[in-house]
Amino acid sequence: MTYDFPIFAIMGLWNIPLLLLQKIFGIVWYNNLISILYAKSILILFAILSLWIIKKILVLLNKTQEDIKWYKFLFVSSPIFLMVLGLFFVFYIISIFFSLVGIYYYLQDKDKQFVLFFALAISLKLFALVLFIPLLLLKYKKISKILLYGFLSLSVLIFAKLVYMNAPMYQESLNAFNDGMMTYLMTNNFAGSFSTVSIFFIIYTLICILCYFKEYKGKETLEKYTMYIGLVVMGSFCTFVTIHPQWFILVLPYLTYFLINNKKLKYHNLLVEMGYVSSMLAILVIHYTWVFCPTLLNRMLLNKLFPLNEIPTHMPLVARFNEFLPIISGVAIACFLVFLYLNYPDFQKKEIKQKFSRSLLWIRMGIILIPTLLMIIGYFR
C-alpha cells in the first residue's frame, strides 16, 4: 500500500519515543509488545479525536445529548470499527478525522478551514477527494471558485508528490497502486457501447451532477444533505468497488449517523445496517483469505501465550463459501440501497417512533466474532 509524505510525518513524530528507546536502551520496537502497542495507539487517539469532532458536528446538526451518546456507542461497537482497528490497525482513521474536521467547518460556512482540512485529509489518502468534490458542488456554483478550491484541496498532496518525485521505490509502488486501483474500480461493471462501464463511476457522476444542480439554500441545504452525500459516496465506493477490508471504515461515520438521525425508523435502519455490514464482512472474509488468516495473529497476544513455529496461512472452512459470493453480494447491495431509500432526506417517514432493540445491538456487536473465531480455530489447527 502506497502512502505519501504527510502520513510518514505524523507517524514519525508519534514514534520519536520508540527511536529514543532504541538509541538509548537498544530496544527494537517491533520485537517488544509494549512498543508495538504504543506505536498502534496513535490510531486509538485519532479514533477518540474523530468521536470528539463528530460530537461537535452533531451539535451543529441539532442532535440531543442522548443522540450523541448513542452515536458514540454505535460507532465503536460497529463490526466495521472492531475489524479495522481491532484486527488491522491501519491508518485510515487519521484521514477520516481530518475529513470530519473539514465537514465541521463546511457546515459553518468557513471556506478556508473546510478546504484546508480536506487538503490535509486528501494528502493522507486520496479517498477524501471523492467526498470533497460533491460537497464542493453542492455549495458552490461558480466554476471559477470550484476550480480554485479544487486546486487548493490538492495543494498539500502535490507538495508531497514533489518530495518523492525522484524516489524510484516510491514511483514503483505508486504505479502498482494506480494500476491496482483502476482494476478495483472496474470490477463491478456492465457492458457499455464501446467498453465496460464502472457502476461506481455512474453513481458518482450522478451524485456530482445532482449536487451541482441542487438549489443551495444556505444552512438548510447543508444540514439536510451533507451527511447523506457522505453516505451515498462512501457507501457506493465500499459496495461497488473491490475494496480492501480496511477501506470499509470510510463509510462508518455516515452509516452510523443515520442510525441516530432517523428516529422513526430506528429498528428498520438497524436491521438493514446489520444485513449490509454482515454481508459485506462475509464477502471480505471469503475474498481475502490471505488477509483473514491465522498469520494475522502473529506478534499478537495469542502468539505470545501459545507460540507456534509455523502459523497456518489459510482457513479451509472459508474457501468452501466462495461459490456463495454472488448471493451474498446481492444481499449487501440490496441492503445498502434500502438503507439509502429509508434515509433519503425528503422521504416521508412514518409517524411512529421506534427504539433500538437491545438483542439486535448485541448481535450486531458480536458479528466480528465470526471471522475472529475462524482465525483462532485456524491458528490451532
Side-chain angles (χ1 to χ4, degrees), residues 225 250 336:
Y225 294 104
L250 296 171
F336 174 66

Side-chain angles (χ1 to χ4, degrees), residues 15 37 39 56 61 69 87 102 199 210 239 274 296 356 374:
N15 289 325
L37 291 175
K56 297 174 77 68
L61 295 173
K69 290 178 182 178
L87 294 178
I199 295 175
L210 292 173
T239 307
M274 285 174 58
L296 189 66
F356 288 119
L374 285 171

Side-chain angles (χ1 to χ4, degrees), residues 15-26:
N15 289 325
I16 286 175
L18 299 181
L19 177 64
L20 294 176
L21 281 175
Q22 184 169 338
K23 294 292 185 182
I24 298 171
F25 301 104

Side-chain angles (χ1 to χ4, degrees), residues 34 38 67 89 110 120 131 143 168 191 218 222 259 270 306 320 331 357 366 370 375 377:
I34 302 300
Y38 170 79
D67 291 334
F89 264 84
K110 295 183 178 179
L120 293 172
L131 176 59
I143 300 298
L222 299 184
L259 291 179
L270 185 62
F306 304 98
R320 300 176 186 177
V331 173
S357 167
I370 298 173
M375 283 187 288
I377 292 169

